[in-house]
Amino acid sequence: MIFATIEHILTHISFSIISIVITIHFITLFFHEIVGLHNSLERGMIATFLSITGLLVIRWIYSGHFPLSNLYESLIFLSWSFSLIHMIPKIRNHKNDLSVITAPSAIFTQGFATSGLSTEMHQSTILVPALQSQWLMMHVSMMLLSYAALLCGSLLSIALLVITFRKNIDLFFTRKNLLIKSFFVGEVEYLNDKRSVFKNTSFISFRNYYKYQWTQRLDYWSYRVISLGFTFLTVGILSGAVWANEAWGSYWNWDPKETWAFITWIIFAIYSHTRTNQNLQDIHSALAASVGFLIIWICYFGINLLGIGLHSYGSFTLTSN
């Protein structure tokens, strides 16, 4: 009873802290000069990480198994993974460009886990025999860590695409307006307009330089985080195959969950390949990551909602009847 109470308190503490963190984050978007707010944001994410860690540890103690037995626990672990990824740049004292992705992802994930699922799913129960294995911790934790990293990296790639396409659209309309003027106002006026454009080149170049720097940082972090997630995904799939052989007598059964995990792996393998080709970097790799973002949600959440295949018990609670 006391463990359940502590868990309940930690759940509300972590959710409250991260809600405050999101508010602070939006404030810092408009008031960059307030350094104290940025420091509070970082401390808030650390406090959130520690609270969710305590929640998982408490649940592990009183349930007797690693807390990944149902959809609720997996969502809490996913929120913890987002908080962990948030702190990766702090390890090497890099500027934290991930905060715009990790903090909202953590609060939305935990918010859905605590409010969007029935209270019955919050209860920890006995595992089915097939899941009473040492591979539970290895396989499921690796898969959820990979989902968190790949989702963050994919969202950064989507942001890169939005910025790039917006810049191209602005450039297209600028050139179109100049071309239209050349037809209607004559060559002299057109040349004058063109000279005025060149006079403002220094300002445009200055603005484009910082936009270029921003896209480069997005591309840098997207690649690093997706590479980390791809490694976790590979380890998760391999450990899952070994576990499947122990539980079901076959390494691979083309179960819907396994199939979509394999499709996810293929998409991000394509992403990794585009990174090795200079002609396919940036836009092409970002497009592959954007497709991967949708595939991950189908693999993680869509299959669970349908409740089909050998992993159907992941839809609700992994308990014995």
Side-chain angles (χ1 to χ4, degrees):
M1 184 63 182
I2 187 172
F3 287 119
T5 303
I6 295 174
E7 179 192 345
H8 183 74
I9 293 172
L10 288 173
T11 300
H12 284 79
I13 289 175
S14 60
F15 188 76
S16 300
I17 293 174
I18 202 169
S19 299
I20 296 172
V21 166
I22 291 295
T23 304
I24 294 174
H25 182 76
F26 281 118
I27 293 174
T28 56
L29 289 178
F30 298 99
F31 303 98
H32 299 282
E33 67 276 7
I34 305 179
V35 179
L37 283 180
H38 179 75
N39 295 333
S40 299
L41 188 152
E42 295 301 325
R43 287 194 290 267
M45 285 303 296
I46 293 173
T48 300
F49 173 77
L50 294 176
S51 297
I52 300 177
T53 301
L55 187 158
L56 292 172
V57 170
I58 292 296
R59 197 173 180 91
W60 191 353
I61 292 173
Y62 81 78
S63 66
H65 58 76
F66 194 70
L68 289 172
S69 63
N70 55 35
L71 186 58
Y72 168 76
E73 291 177 348
S74 72
L75 285 169
I76 293 296
F77 189 87
L78 187 63
S79 180
W80 177 85
S81 301
F82 285 128
S83 303
L84 177 64
I85 293 171
H86 175 89
M87 293 186 289
I88 290 177
K90 302 294 291 183
I91 298 175
R92 301 184 63 180
N93 294 320
H94 284 296
K95 184 178 179 180
N96 195 349
D97 296 319
L98 296 177
S99 60
V100 70
I101 300 296
T102 52
S105 298
I107 190 173
F108 290 145
T109 305
Q110 188 174 357
F112 179 76
T114 54
S115 304
L117 301 178
S118 63
T119 55
E120 290 78 10
M121 295 186 66
H122 295 185
Q123 306 301 317
S124 180
T125 49
I126 302 173
L127 296 176
V128 296
L131 298 177
Q132 296 175 6
S133 170
Q134 59 184 356
W135 290 104
L136 172 67
M137 179 176 177
M138 177 68 175
H139 169 63
V140 184
S141 63
M142 287 294 102
M143 293 301 293
L144 289 175
L145 282 170
S146 73
Y147 292 159
L150 293 175
L151 286 171
C152 287
S154 298
L155 285 171
L156 292 173
S157 292
I158 292 172
L160 173 62
L161 285 177
V162 171
I163 293 173
T164 303
F165 284 138
R166 182 179 178 182
K167 181 174 67 175
N168 291 338
I169 290 173
D170 291 342
L171 183 61
F172 170 77
F173 281 110
T174 301
R175 291 177 176 175
K176 185 177 179 181
N177 289 335
L178 285 174
L179 186 61
I180 291 173
K181 282 187 177 183
S182 70
F183 282 106
F184 289 98
V185 300
E187 184 177 357
V188 175
E189 289 82 357
Y190 169 70
L191 291 175
N192 290 333
D193 287 339
K194 197 169 183 180
R195 288 192 195 99
S196 67
V197 170
F198 282 122
K199 287 180 182 178
N200 295 325
T201 300
S202 58
F203 171 74
I204 295 172
S205 299
F206 179 79
R207 185 177 62 183
N208 288 340
Y209 172 72
Y210 280 98
K211 186 176 289 186
Y212 172 77
Q213 278 194 324
W214 175 236
T215 56
Q216 288 299 107
R217 288 207 307 270
L218 286 176
D219 186 61
Y220 171 85
W221 281 112
S222 176
Y223 175 63
R224 294 300 185 276
V225 175
I226 287 178
S227 298
L228 179 65
F230 184 71
T231 302
F232 286 144
L233 181 64
T234 303
V235 175
I237 290 175
L238 292 176
S239 60
V242 176
W243 187 12
N245 185 59
E246 287 187 3
W248 302 318
S250 175
Y251 287 101
W252 198 264
N253 301 281
W254 292 107
D255 175 72
K257 194 81 166 180
E258 295 174 348
T259 303
W260 281 99
F262 180 67
I263 293 173
T264 304
W265 189 91
I266 291 294
I267 293 296
F268 286 101
I270 293 172
Y271 171 88
S272 300
H273 172 70
T274 59
R275 299 296 307 189
T276 63
N277 190 327
Q278 292 291 335
N279 297 324
L280 297 177
Q281 283 189 9
D282 297 337
I283 300 302
H284 293 85
S285 59
L287 285 171
S290 301
V291 173
F293 178 79
L294 297 175
I295 300 299
I296 293 169
W297 281 115
I298 294 174
C299 179
Y300 172 60
F301 209 68
I303 300 301
N304 285 348
L305 289 178
L306 292 175
I308 58 176
L310 296 172
H311 292 78
S312 59
Y313 39 63
S315 305
F316 299 100
T317 53
L318 309 183
T319 59
S320 56
N321 296 324

